[in-house]
Amino acid sequence: ILVFHAGNVSAQSAHIQRLAEELDAKTELIEKNRKVIRTLHERINSLEQQSKSKTKTLKEMRLRLQQIALLKTEIQNIEARLTEKVTSKKGQDGKMAIHAEVRIRPEYTVNREDLNNDTDDSDAFWGHRVRFSADFGHDTWMRARVQIQESRTFGSNINKDGTLSLHQAWMELKPPELKGFRIRAGRMELTYGKERLIGRDDFSRNGRAFDGVVARMGHLPYFDIEVFYTKIRESTTGGDQDFYGAYMETRAVPLTVIQAYVMGLNNEQTKGSDAPGSAGTQVYKTHIWTTGGRVDAHFMNDTIHLEGEAVVQLGKLTDPRNATRDLDHFATAFYAELSYQAPIATLPTLGAFFVQASGDGNPEDGKSVGFYPLFPTRHSFLGTMDLFAWRNIRDFGAKLELTPPGGFGFFAAFHYLQLYTDKGQLSGLGTSKTPKPDQPIGRNIGIEIDTALSWAPNDQLQVQLGYSIFMPSTVTKELKICGNKALEGSCDAAQWAYLQTRLRF
Ligand SMILES: [Ca+2]
Ligand SMILES: [Ca+2]
């Protein structure tokens, strides 16, 4: 029994020994695994830290980029002010500063006049404009500018004579006792806001200048007021046209421009003849007040840009269909744009806009409710093809802008154009056709797509290549702008391409 017992004990202790060894081995393994897990945890932690710091660096880099963009615009502003000072100083020293601008623009259009492939109205022409200007200065309080312009078109289908004209000729007084005040008189360019109502119309062949007087009192960023009086037409027999107003601006809110204005248009036109047997002369009067405001603001580190303009017109005018009665005028127009600029390479800007101007759908009701577009820069507003005016229209659009390095720029825009009222006149496409009272024409005018590629390697040279297409819709068809083609059911697309080179020195 003892032997058996002893044998049994030794067998048991051997078993325990084995178990203990196994336990040791397992503990060692667990310990090893723990170590591995700890190292893994540590690595995960350090990776987490790294990615956190990387996101932080990325964020910081983005912020830096935005700050750089802001600084760049500030530097550009300072540079502009400096050049202005230098040029005005050049003039002030009693010297004369000469500037010249040469602009050459070959263009090619298809169906721009007729929206019809069957009849040929393709046109290739070279637009050519030269401007010479001389700035004079005398003492610190007097300045003058004379600018002569010659513009002409030459090309395959059209060959018009050039026109030589005095584009600008003004004199400016800036009494040193009155800080921020200046008064300018003569022929001059006027530009206010985004030039939707008053502008230089620079893209056009001749541009636009006004004859008049402008007084300015400016203490920006707090306020700036300009009061102007211009004569659009002076006639002893045909009647005068005067245009005047006040434009106010404040930049007191950072990154925001707020503008408000009121403008008056007085137009008196004598029509007809007082020859015996005729109906006699009649005077057509237009007295319209235009008042409005514009806000231009940047938010979120300059990535969001918001622009809005609202305009109201009030007044009286002679009924163009019946000179013995007056019409009450009330019209409105709006512009709104929201865009986002991504702070990454090429600074892509994506924007959406909405434009509207009231139109008159009833010529019989004694009320004039169609917006008067005044003297705007039409280009790039309601499409770069400049087919439409800011009257009886709606434009739903989107745009994309890229600014690659090296002075390059890319622009693309989409316009979905509609009539404000389908009973009113279409202001554009080279016509001013009005639907007949019982003619249903719908609202859709069409779609325009604009693209442009530009390159400005320095301040002197700018090259721009553009292509646009307008695809007409029901309105153009129903108004038979494309002639007999409309009877077949549709009108054809109009296309336009140009290459503009501008040299300034
Ligand atoms: Ca054609
Ligand atoms: Ca009416």
Side-chain angles (χ1 to χ4, degrees), residues 315-390:
K316 259 190 195 314
L317 62 137
T318 311
D319 188 345
R321 297 148 63 98
N322 176 5
T324 58
R325 74 164 180 175
D326 279 348
L327 304 177
D328 286 321
H329 181 73
F330 178 81
T332 55
F334 299 98
Y335 184 89
E337 183 180 328
L338 182 68
S339 64
Y340 170 73
Q341 187 182 67
I344 54 171
T346 74
L347 295 169
T349 304
L350 204 63
F353 52 85
F354 171 67
V355 195
Q356 179 175 295
S358 61
D360 199 332
N362 184 355
E364 305 291 346
D365 61 0
K367 289 174 194 147
S368 157
V369 292
F371 190 74
Y372 269 75
L374 299 177
F375 309 98
T377 292
R378 265 173 73 181
H379 189 60
S380 88
F381 181 46
L382 301 163
T384 52
M385 283 177 92
D386 303 338
L387 295 171
F388 303 97
W390 207 13

Side-chain angles (χ1 to χ4, degrees), residues 423 435-440:
K423 300 273 187 291
K436 293 178 186 82
D438 55 347
Q439 182 186 13

Side-chain angles (χ1 to χ4, degrees), residues 111 114-122:
N111 294 340
D114 63 4
L115 300 169
N116 186 345
N117 282 334
D118 302 343
T119 49
D120 182 28
D121 65 323
S122 301

Side-chain angles (χ1 to χ4, degrees), residues 62 72 121 123-124 247 273 330 366 385 399-400 409 412 431 466 501:
R62 247 180 230 151
K72 217 174 135 189
D121 65 323
D123 197 3
Y247 212 97
S273 114
F330 178 81
M385 283 177 92
K399 67 167 192 183
L400 169 72
T431 68
T501 307

Side-chain angles (χ1 to χ4, degrees), residues 228-247:
F228 64 89
Y229 186 94
T230 65
K231 200 111 206 150
I232 307 290
R233 188 182 61 245
E234 170 77 63
S235 166
T236 45
T237 51
D240 285 7
Q241 186 173 3
D242 298 344
F243 182 53
Y244 42 84
Y247 212 97

